[in-house]
Amino acid sequence: YNRYGSVGGVVDDSEKGALPTYNFQQASFLGAENIAGPAHEKRLWVRNIACMGCPIACSKMGIIRRGKHRGIIADSVEYESTALLGSNLGISKVEDLQYANYLCDLYGLDTMSTGGVVGFAIEAFHRGLISREDLGGLKLDFGAGDSIHQLIRKIALREDIGDLLAEGVKRASEQLGGDAPRFAMHTKGLETPGYEPRGLPGHALGYAVADRGGDHERGYMVHYEMRGALWKGQPVDRFSRKGKAEILIDFQNRTSGTDTLIACHYALAVPLEVYAELLNAATDFDIDKDYFVLVGERIWNMTRLFNLREGFTRADDDLPIRVKEEGLPDPPVRGQRITQEDLDYMLDDYYRLRGWDENGVPTEAKLASLGLDARLQ
């Protein structure tokens, strides 16, 4: 992390079939090396940046030194932005990637959602659902940096088709009609993050149940399913659906608990016991490591109650149609998908272990055990 930040994993994720490519039509990108850590380091970066007191310094400051955007100074393009604005759009030139990231920062756009929206638009253009007239004369294609940059501007300024795309892929796909919803990559209206879920079933479950929609930070199962982390001392079967709900819940509770400290997820080596000691020293509390798990579980139940109150149901704990119906073409994940049957199996297991009913509603007994009031609904 010190040398490359999060983009150090781009090539490995591509080789393992987890890198979104061409609007999630593939999971490996031939140009991955051109947008991975060493390419950023060689062609862009000039210095490290760290949060106060952090020894990792995973962020970088870079400058575009070549081409039409020469001289643009910008913060580093981290992994998620590299996946969604890079491989997902077929961009294999690190300068084009950096400039797309810079435009998102300039206009106040989320890089991940922007990459998801632009990837959707390119595929819609290929399928004839968006015309050059809709685009104000632009010809969209994967890997076409200039037209992608122009479309980002149109989305920010709501010009031409950008006015619709600014609403996100869910609303845009509904307005375009036809088969557009079939390749609109989102969960609960939030665009899908930078890990292809079909070869990571536990991670896919995390997307489905995330309270704010598709979100890799609400259940980073990549850590277990692809990075080699052990669960109770044993390796985790990447492609198995069985047992993933238990691991996911444990991860969700622990990380949501420590998120309340504003703790960095990259501090993976810091045990809960140390966080408890630090918090006790700072506040004169008297807690142990289990307190963070309890806080995290309360958070997950309270946000669930909030979503239920606002009209969400089990049906919203879903995955994109493409994930459920289209198998991946790339080894080592060829043919992998998360069918509706797979999802229902994992959801049933997840709800049961959470102490929720078959519709995903927290039971009064579970809420009482957490000191919460069912009237929060």
Side-chain angles (χ1 to χ4, degrees):
Y1 282 128
N2 173 257
R3 182 168 181 180
Y4 294 128
S6 58
V7 288
V10 170
V11 172
D12 186 57
D13 288 358
S14 179
E15 291 175 348
K16 291 179 178 176
L19 187 66
T21 302
Y22 305 132
N23 194 38
F24 289 83
Q25 294 182 76
Q26 299 176 24
S28 298
F29 184 46
L30 288 176
E33 288 187 359
N34 298 326
I35 55 173
H40 288 253
E41 180 184 53
K42 180 180 179 180
R43 301 176 69 89
L44 295 171
W45 294 341
V46 294
R47 60 165 293 179
N48 292 353
I49 303 174
C51 294
M52 193 176 95
C54 179
I56 298 176
C58 67
S59 190
K60 320 293 175 184
M61 185 60 70
I63 182 169
I64 299 176
R65 305 168 192 169
R66 304 168 180 86
K68 64 187 296 184
H69 305 300
R70 183 181 179 206
I72 292 292
I73 299 173
D75 196 2
S76 58
V77 190
E78 49 78 54
Y79 173 84
E80 294 290 334
S81 304
T82 296
L84 274 305
L85 290 173
S87 57
N88 193 53
L89 304 184
I91 286 182
S92 58
K93 187 177 179 182
V94 75
E95 288 83 3
D96 285 344
L97 169 61
Q98 178 75 69
Y99 192 66
N101 190 79
Y102 164 79
L103 287 175
C104 289
D105 286 347
L106 180 68
Y107 290 121
L109 301 178
D110 178 77
T111 54
M112 296 161 63
S113 282
T114 300
V117 168
V118 173
F120 166 82
I122 294 172
E123 187 168 350
F125 180 74
H126 286 177
R127 291 171 178 260
L129 296 174
I130 293 176
S131 68
R132 290 190 71 169
E133 182 180 0
D134 295 328
L135 291 161
L138 282 183
K139 182 181 179 181
L140 280 182
D141 201 2
F142 291 111
D146 284 347
S147 62
I148 288 170
H149 298 155
Q150 291 181 62
L151 183 58
I152 291 173
R153 288 192 184 92
K154 288 181 180 292
I155 292 170
L157 302 176
R158 303 191 77 118
E159 294 177 352
D160 303 316
I161 195 68
D163 188 40
L164 175 61
L165 296 176
E167 297 291 320
V169 298
K170 181 179 185 293
R171 291 181 180 177
S173 67
E174 292 167 351
Q175 289 294 314
L176 290 175
D179 62 351
R182 303 188 67 83
F183 57 90
M185 298 297 296
H186 73 89
T187 297
K188 297 184 176 79
L190 182 62
E191 286 71 26
T192 303
Y195 294 95
E196 164 56 62
R198 279 168 281 189
L200 302 165
H203 196 67
L205 176 63
Y207 287 167
V209 300
D211 43 13
R212 60 186 181 191
D215 181 354
H216 65 296
E217 293 287 4
R218 286 293 202 258
Y220 190 74
M221 288 289 286
V222 174
H223 190 51
Y224 295 99
E225 292 181 305
M226 201 172 67
R227 300 275 191 254
L230 301 179
W231 168 249
K232 295 183 177 179
Q234 298 297 320
V236 173
D237 183 342
R238 174 178 176 178
F239 297 115
S240 176
R241 279 68 171 148
K242 185 178 180 181
K244 294 301 175 67
E246 181 183 7
I247 305 173
L248 177 64
I249 289 170
D250 176 73
F251 185 89
Q252 289 175 332
N253 289 346
R254 286 188 290 108
T255 55
S256 291
T258 55
D259 279 348
T260 63
L261 299 173
I262 322 298
C264 179
H265 282 196
Y266 284 173
L268 297 172
V270 179
L272 295 183
E273 292 88 346
V274 172
Y275 280 130
E277 186 178 354
L278 291 169
L279 185 59
N280 287 337
T283 62
D284 204 28
F285 288 175
D286 183 20
I287 63 163
D288 60 19
K289 64 182 180 63
D290 295 332
Y291 180 73
F292 295 109
V293 178
L294 172 63
V295 169
E297 189 172 9
R298 284 172 172 167
I299 288 169
W300 273 90
N301 279 268
M302 289 182 72
T303 56
R304 188 69 180 188
L305 292 176
F306 177 90
N307 279 357
L308 291 168
R309 189 192 71 188
E310 296 304 304
F312 282 84
T313 68
R314 176 181 175 128
D316 294 291
D317 289 342
D318 203 2
L319 292 167
I321 296 173
R322 169 161 282 166
V323 170
K324 295 191 292 183
E325 298 186 2
E326 297 180 22
L328 285 166
D330 330 64
V333 290
R334 183 176 288 128
Q336 289 290 327
R337 60 192 178 105
I338 308 296
T339 66
Q340 187 63 53
E341 183 180 6
D342 292 332
L343 180 58
D344 284 338
Y345 169 81
M346 291 191 291
L347 284 176
D348 287 342
D349 202 25
Y350 182 87
Y351 293 165
R352 177 181 60 82
L353 292 170
R354 276 256 175 240
W356 301 351
D357 68 18
E358 65 275 11
N359 295 312
V361 178
T363 63
E364 290 192 15
K366 168 52 68 175
L367 296 176
S369 73
L370 297 172
L372 300 177
D373 192 332
R375 289 175 296 179
L376 287 168
Q377 298 182 69

